[in-house]
Amino acid sequence: MNEQQEKSVQLDSLSLPYIEELFARFQQDPQTVPPDWRDFFHEWGEQGEGNGAHRGPSFRPRSLFHTLGANGNGAQADASMRAARHQDRVDQLIRAYRVRGHLVAAVDPLLGARPVQRELSPEHYRLYESDLDTPFSTSFFGGPSSQTLREILDRLRNTYCRCIGVQFMHIDDLELREWLQAHMEETENRLDLGHDQQTAILSRLTDAVIFEQFVRKKFIGAKTYSLEGAESLIPLLHMAIERAGDDGIAEIVLGMAHRGRLNVLVNILGKNPQHVFQEFEDQHARLREGRGDVKYHMGYSGDWTTRSGKSVHLSLCFNPSHLEFVNPVALGRMRAKQDRCEDYQRQRGMVMLIHGDAGFAGQGIVQETLNLSQLDSYTTGGTLHVIVNNQLGFTTPPQQGRSSVYASDVAKMLQIPIFHVNGENPEAVAQVINLAMDFRRRFQRDVVIDMYCYRKLGHNESDEPTFTQPVMYDMIEQLNSVRDSYLQQLLDLGEITREEADDIAESRRERLEKELSLARRSDTFRPTEMLGGVWKGYLGGPEPADDQVETKLPHEKIPQLIERLTTTPESFHLHRKIERGLESRRAMGRGEEPFDWAAAEALALASIGTAGYRVRLSGQDTERGTFSQRHAIWFDQEDGTRYTPFEHLADDQAPIEVINSPLSEMGVLGFEYGYSLDYPDGLILWEAQFGDFANVAQVIIDQFIISAEDKWRRLSGLVLLLPHGFEGQGPEHSSARLERFLMLAAEDNIQIVYPTTPAQYFHVLRRQALRRWRKPLVVMTPKSLLRHAQAVSPLEEFAEGRFHRVLPDELMGDRPAERVLLCSGKVYYDLVEACKEAERDDVAIIRLEQLYPFPELQLRASLETYGKGTRLMWVQEEPENMGAWRYLKAHRELWFPERFELEVVARPASSSPATGSSSSHKLEQAKLLRQALDGEP
């Protein structure tokens, strides 16, 4: 290889990709290229062969350098090469700050300098002090198109390393990254605030500080879960709501933990301090006996009027002690509000979630909620997440509470930015909220603000934090409040006077004193209202005796609905098995065949939707059905096109949605529960893939669904569909844990049914939608009965019937019974078959279809015809310590006729619901049936 060839290879291997990029920039705008390179390209274009080449498509940088080397211009090429290499290093430095700058940002008010990051040092890229005043191209960096290295470093440090640290380079979408870069780098991540804005921030900080001081002074020793140390949350929320109103948002749903909740209730939601103080005084014990919740779990709603005159309705969700579990509930509420007003662009409402740092990192419900954010059936247009980062979870420091660098790291699963901000710098907080709201509006995605602060007091006011964090609390003791620090900053700048600041504080104290005086003089307790707005006309409390709605469907409407549910579009290639099923379903609609379970469900949902009630059914694989029974969505077998027959029933029908949910029980059930809170005039259902899947959602069941009316005076009509029945499918896929729901049932808080026929299922769903009494409904649904030849219902039972809480014996006629078997669910069909096989005609079987509220009168009436001495046996498939037996035994004085001795037939008590052996299951079931009929062990 000669000298010329060696030079060409060297030039190509060292610089060609970057030279090609530079030349592309040069073609667009020569001013974006460093001066040496700009002159170089111009000079080349003026040569004979390259005349005008810098504008033409045939130019090849490789050819250019080969030619320059052959003409003896290697020195000029070497100089340009050096410039290119330096530019490449500067570009790497810029990228490093974008990726790693947050690691040195001064976001922690308790920490001094953070560890140096070698990647952020110019020397790491062989850029030295001699290069500081060298100009470089900054066309892809905020500000002028050419800046010196010194200017570039200043801009990078100001943008990424002051009181704001940003994680955004994990975002794959180039448009999102470039938008964030431009909006941060062009302003150096700083918002210029005017006098009015600064005064507003100071006022909000004063609100926060004065409230906490006042409450702690007036109610010594009371738990308030003080916001002290994190007072910047109040101006943050204030600015977010103002921006939301300007963006056209009319309603915001908030969810938050108890830290600072009272402060937010008063200073953001507008709750009258008098009512908060009445709750502290707690003088109305008899009115709250056995009900209610602590004041820092309560919800509230109010209206906010922005500076520009826009009205924003605010709703703070009630919250259990499992703090993060309110997250999907808040999302579900907002989705319902958006659907109600047909805001399908998700632009009129938003959710704000206020998290604790330990909870955000430690609770799996956070990940489940984040996963819902971009799913079509769950998105709400982007949630604003605010982590109030106390850097402490009760007594547990971050190094013991998470394996990640930041509490927010789980949010990197989404294509969203994460802003870390020093809560002691209110103006940095203002910049972050401004940027976050802009991003959310532009891209309709979640955004996370991790506000670093501290907890001035212990976990609660009676807790002593120095037991476990003496060093941290020694530092905290030395700090002024953020309000005092910001006031001093404004005083130094001449933006406000001390007198003005004192007047703001004094006016707040005077108002609180006045409200406390009124609270102590008032003898009126005002419980939270719950039945206004969309809930007007609905009932809670005990089940009304006269609440019997008509659930039958006009005879002529049944075939009409079935026909529409089974009509395929032209040229639609339906699966052959589904087509055969539709043919059978058409025969059901004509009365030629009895209805099976899936057909009854489809008819119920269709009739509810065409009556104007929205239907929303979600769950894992719910579109098809776990047991391939539903087929609510059809797929063209040639091109995969979806078709939903529920959408084509009538021109004026309400929406009927059947949704495949993610593999998430807690998050999805929480979401659907939230949806039901703001959609009482709909039928909202969640289906477990198998009944035991509800185990994973137990917090949502226990702390929301079961107890919300008692604790927070909130109603819900949510339906839980839980496949249940012992068919040899193992411990986990047999039981929906009926006993748990019965144990939790009290004060008519829920409804629990175990229907045995398709018509019963049809009527109970219609009853749930049509009646005005709103309670959660738990339905034990079948698996094998979906296709059982005897588990069918004739058309007449849909046109003439209703839901029967108790189904009396259908086999005995007038014959006397030797024994009466009481049961619920699938075991009924096993007992009927066993009686036929044994040729027993002296056994009556009564089905208990509703277990709670307990149908005392109906059951007594069904037992009236059986005389003294008749054996009465409760038969269940579940082990003796599970199922309904112990519930019935504990409450038998409510319904049990004295002339009977009640016996039980069940599997032996067990720690596991069922055997994992199909053969063993059959042996156990046979033994169970023999014992029921003959009393044999």
Side-chain angles (χ1 to χ4, degrees):
M1 183 182 294
N2 61 33
E3 182 180 348
Q4 179 62 49
Q5 290 173 322
E6 289 178 348
K7 184 180 293 185
S8 297
V9 171
Q10 181 184 29
L11 291 170
D12 288 349
S13 62
L14 289 176
S15 63
L16 186 57
Y18 189 72
I19 294 166
E20 289 175 330
E21 180 185 350
L22 279 180
F23 186 71
R25 296 188 200 173
F26 177 75
Q27 287 179 306
Q28 296 294 323
D29 182 3
Q31 296 304 313
T32 65
V33 176
D36 287 348
W37 280 102
R38 187 164 61 240
D39 295 339
F40 180 59
F41 288 133
H42 277 299
E43 201 171 300
W44 171 250
E46 292 169 359
Q47 296 180 14
E49 182 185 349
N51 186 31
H54 63 279
R55 301 188 188 281
S58 61
F59 177 80
R60 296 290 184 270
R62 184 186 303 271
S63 173
L64 178 146
F65 283 109
H66 284 197
T67 303
L68 283 178
N71 291 337
N73 292 327
Q76 185 178 12
D78 287 343
S80 298
M81 285 297 303
R82 286 194 296 273
R85 286 196 294 270
H86 272 63
Q87 180 68 53
D88 184 51
R89 294 167 188 167
V90 170
D91 287 348
Q92 290 182 51
L93 178 63
I94 292 172
R95 177 176 173 79
Y97 269 87
R98 290 169 174 166
V99 176
R100 300 278 185 260
H102 61 88
L103 293 173
V104 298
V107 297
D108 186 347
L110 300 180
L111 192 65
R114 300 177 76 185
V116 174
Q117 298 293 315
R118 191 159 54 90
E119 288 177 83
L120 302 182
S121 167
E123 289 77 11
H124 182 69
Y125 304 94
R126 290 181 291 165
L127 295 167
Y128 304 105
E129 189 172 352
S130 59
D131 298 306
L132 289 176
D133 295 313
T134 301
F136 292 92
S137 172
T138 51
S139 58
F140 296 115
F141 183 48
S145 59
S146 178
Q147 300 172 54
T148 66
L149 179 58
R150 190 186 307 275
E151 293 169 330
I152 291 170
L153 284 169
D154 286 344
R155 183 173 290 275
L156 287 169
R157 290 163 180 164
N158 288 340
T159 302
Y160 296 113
C161 305
R162 287 191 295 187
C163 290
I164 299 172
V166 191
Q167 291 177 283
F168 71 103
M169 292 297 283
H170 60 278
I171 299 174
D172 297 324
D173 191 317
L174 181 61
E175 181 187 2
L176 272 64
R177 286 206 315 274
E178 290 185 340
W179 186 93
L180 287 162
Q181 286 170 194
H183 282 71
M184 291 187 292
E185 292 169 357
E186 289 173 4
T187 64
E188 299 186 21
N189 238 349
R190 185 176 184 276
L191 185 64
D192 290 324
L193 299 176
H195 173 76
D196 290 346
Q197 293 169 303
Q198 291 173 324
T199 303
I201 291 174
L202 180 64
S203 296
R204 300 289 80 77
L205 288 171
T206 304
D207 290 338
V209 169
I210 296 300
F211 178 83
E212 296 296 347
Q213 293 175 348
F214 186 87
V215 168
R216 193 165 73 254
K217 178 181 177 181
K218 299 296 183 180
F219 302 100
I220 297 172
K223 291 182 181 180
T224 67
Y225 295 95
S226 168
L227 189 63
E228 289 173 275
E231 294 94 337
S232 288
L233 177 66
I234 299 303
L236 185 155
L237 295 176
H238 175 272
M239 289 182 282
I241 296 166
E242 288 287 329
R243 283 299 310 275
D246 293 342
D247 292 343
I249 290 172
E251 188 155 10
I252 297 174
V253 173
L254 297 97
M256 71 175 296
H258 50 231
R259 174 79 50 215
R261 191 183 188 90
L262 297 181
N263 210 312
V264 170
L265 280 167
V266 170
N267 290 315
I268 297 297
L269 274 295
K271 185 173 182 178
N272 192 322
Q274 178 186 159
H275 300 152
V276 176
F277 298 153
Q278 284 180 328
E279 292 167 351
F280 273 107
E281 295 288 338
D282 199 13
Q283 295 178 352
H284 304 278
R286 291 190 180 277
L287 293 177
R288 301 180 64 182
E289 191 171 358
R291 58 178 57 87
D293 200 353
V294 290
K295 51 191 155 297
Y296 35 80
H297 287 173
M298 301 302 290
Y300 194 77
S301 63
D303 293 306
W304 179 290
T305 302
T306 68
R307 291 188 304 271
S308 58
K310 306 286 182 61
S311 179
V312 182
H313 185 69
L314 307 177
S315 300
L316 176 64
C317 297
F318 38 81
N319 207 101
S321 286
H322 280 74
L323 307 176
E324 296 292 340
F325 284 83
V326 77
N327 299 345
V329 176
L331 264 66
R333 291 192 62 188
M334 177 48 63
R335 177 69 178 226
K337 292 173 183 289
Q338 292 172 337
D339 287 351
R340 177 176 294 283
C341 64
E342 298 183 351
D343 176 23
Y344 299 125
Q345 300 302 312
R346 316 295 168 196
Q347 294 177 342
R348 295 188 66 256
M350 68 172 287
V351 177
M352 293 184 188
L353 296 178
I354 305 164
H355 310 269
D357 51 313
F360 199 88
Q363 294 288 316
I365 192 67
V366 173
Q367 182 274 335
E368 292 192 25
T369 304
L370 292 171
N371 188 50
L372 298 176
S373 68
Q374 291 297 300
L375 301 180
D376 288 344
S377 297
Y378 301 92
T379 184
T380 60
T383 297
L384 176 65
H385 300 268
V386 180
I387 300 173
V388 179
N389 195 335
N390 295 313
Q391 308 183 69
L392 192 61
F394 202 163
T395 66
T396 304
Q399 60 268 28
Q400 292 180 317
R402 63 175 186 261
S403 297
S404 57
V405 175
Y406 292 111
S408 58
D409 277 351
V410 67
K412 290 171 71 175
M413 65 181 281
L414 299 182
Q415 300 287 290
I416 62 171
I418 302 168
F419 299 100
H420 308 280
V421 62
N422 191 323
E424 294 289 285
N425 189 322
E427 295 195 4
V429 172
Q431 161 64 5
V432 163
I433 195 62
N434 189 62
L435 191 55
M437 292 297 289
D438 279 347
F439 178 88
R440 182 203 165 275
R441 181 190 63 217
R442 172 69 176 79
F443 298 105
Q444 291 197 296
R445 293 173 182 260
D446 289 24
V447 60
V448 176
I449 298 174
D450 179 15
M451 189 180 77
Y452 271 72
C453 46
Y454 55 89
R455 193 185 69 201
K456 185 173 179 63
L457 305 175
H459 178 67
N460 58 62
E461 284 64 23
S462 63
D463 186 52
E464 177 51 70
T466 58
F467 287 159
T468 51
Q469 276 78 34
V471 176
M472 170 185 276
Y473 275 85
D474 183 58
M475 288 188 287
I476 290 173
E477 188 66 29
Q478 311 304 316
L479 295 175
N480 291 325
S481 73
V482 61
R483 186 260 182 188
D484 291 344
S485 298
Y486 188 57
L487 172 59
Q488 189 59 53
Q489 176 185 332
L490 297 185
L491 291 173
D492 292 343
L493 294 172
E495 297 290 346
I496 197 171
T497 66
R498 174 69 69 177
E499 290 74 17
E500 289 174 315
D502 290 345
D503 287 345
I504 294 171
E506 188 56 33
S507 67
R508 272 47 175 187
R509 291 191 190 93
E510 289 177 357
R511 185 201 173 202
L512 295 178
E513 287 284 3
K514 178 182 176 181
E515 296 298 337
L516 177 60
S517 177
L518 291 172
R520 287 175 171 169
R521 290 204 307 266
S522 174
D523 59 357
T524 303
F525 176 72
R526 295 182 54 178
T528 305
E529 295 297 328
M530 69 171 180
L531 296 181
V534 297
W535 281 96
K536 187 175 182 180
Y538 290 92
L539 302 173
E543 183 177 22
D546 59 350
D547 190 23
Q548 290 290 342
V549 295
E550 287 286 348
T551 57
K552 62 186 180 183
L553 200 59
H555 196 290
E556 67 277 4
K557 192 162 186 175
I558 295 174
Q560 293 173 6
L561 288 175
I562 293 296
E563 181 65 27
R564 291 169 187 167
L565 285 168
T566 57
T567 299
T568 56
E570 291 186 13
S571 303
F572 192 88
H573 305 92
L574 196 62
H575 195 285
R576 289 192 300 274
K577 289 185 178 179
I578 297 177
E579 179 56 48
R580 288 197 295 271
L582 295 184
E583 291 174 3
S584 177
R585 192 165 292 184
R586 293 186 198 104
M588 297 175 193
R590 294 190 297 268
E592 298 169 2
E593 295 181 15
F595 276 70
D596 62 15
W597 202 274
E601 178 189 79
L603 182 61
L605 301 187
S607 67
I608 292 166
T610 53
Y613 297 87
R614 188 184 195 101
V615 176
R616 179 183 168 94
L617 167 59
S618 75
Q620 293 154 19
D621 305 295
T622 292
E623 291 180 357
R624 192 203 74 174
T626 298
F627 312 102
S628 197
Q629 83 281 10
R630 183 171 289 122
H631 297 294
I633 314 292
W634 302 336
F635 296 87
D636 189 291
Q637 295 300 296
E638 294 189 3
D639 61 15
T641 303
R642 291 167 57 100
Y643 179 79
T644 306
F646 280 123
E647 296 176 354
H648 303 278
L649 302 174
D651 292 338
D652 59 348
Q653 71 171 84
I656 302 176
E657 298 178 278
V658 181
I659 299 160
N660 278 349
S661 76
L663 190 64
S664 161
E665 290 82 34
M666 282 190 301
V668 172
L669 182 56
F671 187 99
E672 302 305 340
Y673 172 73
Y675 198 102
S676 74
L677 294 176
D678 280 87
Y679 226 117
D681 48 337
L683 182 66
I684 316 304
L685 312 98
W686 174 74
E687 180 179 61
Q689 192 167 85
F690 285 86
D692 67 287
F693 282 38
N695 294 344
V696 187
Q698 203 63 40
V699 173
I700 301 298
I701 293 169
D702 288 355
Q703 300 201 348
F704 288 98
I705 295 173
I706 296 296
S707 56
E709 182 179 354
D710 199 48
K711 293 191 296 189
W712 307 311
R713 295 171 57 82
R714 294 305 303 263
L715 303 180
S716 166
L718 181 66
V719 180
L720 277 62
L721 303 179
L722 309 179
H724 178 85
F726 284 55
E727 288 124 342
Q729 296 190 50
E732 312 310 334
H733 289 174
S734 294
S735 178
R737 295 291 188 176
L738 173 62
E739 63 278 0
R740 288 185 185 167
F741 293 99
L742 291 170
M743 179 183 68
L744 295 168
E747 301 178 300
D748 285 10
N749 59 335
I750 55 174
Q751 306 167 84
I752 305 171
V753 299
Y754 196 175
T756 54
T757 73
Q760 284 282 86
Y761 181 49
F762 168 88
H763 287 294
V764 82
L765 291 182
R766 283 181 54 81
R767 183 183 75 166
Q768 182 72 357
L770 299 177
R771 74 197 308 199
R772 309 304 289 176
W773 190 63
R774 277 286 178 265
K775 296 291 169 123
L777 171 65
V778 179
V779 185
M780 299 287 123
T781 59
K783 303 188 298 271
S784 62
L785 296 191
L786 293 172
R787 294 177 176 83
H788 195 288
Q790 302 304 314
V792 292
S793 300
L795 184 148
E796 287 70 24
E797 291 190 10
F798 301 91
E800 300 297 335
R802 61 180 176 84
F803 177 71
H804 299 275
R805 294 172 173 84
V806 177
L807 287 176
D809 179 74
E810 297 177 345
L811 304 176
M812 288 290 299
D814 295 329
R815 296 190 302 275
E818 184 272 334
R819 67 181 59 198
V820 177
L821 306 180
L822 291 178
C823 66
S824 286
K826 167 192 159 288
V827 74
Y828 167 76
Y829 293 97
D830 295 336
L831 289 170
V832 170
E833 184 63 26
C835 284
K836 289 181 180 178
E837 290 181 0
E839 298 182 347
R840 293 290 299 269
D841 59 1
D842 58 349
V843 177
I845 307 175
I846 298 175
R847 283 168 279 176
L848 197 57
E849 301 278 291
Q850 177 172 300
L851 291 157
Y852 191 84
F854 193 80
E856 174 188 351
L857 297 179
Q858 293 88 341
L859 183 55
R860 282 183 175 273
S862 295
L863 292 171
E864 280 297 321
T865 59
Y866 304 106
K868 186 175 183 180
T870 305
R871 295 184 69 181
L872 181 63
M873 311 176 76
W874 171 255
V875 183
Q876 66 178 37
E877 294 183 297
E878 300 88 349
E880 185 270 344
N881 59 318
M882 301 179 192
W885 164 242
R886 294 193 177 182
Y887 161 78
L888 292 173
K889 184 179 179 181
H891 297 89
R892 61 182 173 179
E893 70 278 0
L894 297 177
W895 62 272
F896 189 63
E898 294 180 357
R899 64 181 181 277
F900 295 115
E901 289 291 333
L902 183 63
E903 305 172 51
V904 62
V905 176
R907 284 175 166 81
S910 172
S911 59
S912 174
T915 177
S917 164
S918 178
S919 298
S920 294
H921 163 76
K922 292 176 182 177
L923 288 173
E924 291 176 358
Q925 197 75 355
K927 179 180 178 181
L928 184 86
L929 297 173
R930 286 197 305 271
Q931 188 175 354
L933 297 187
D934 303 322
E936 295 180 10

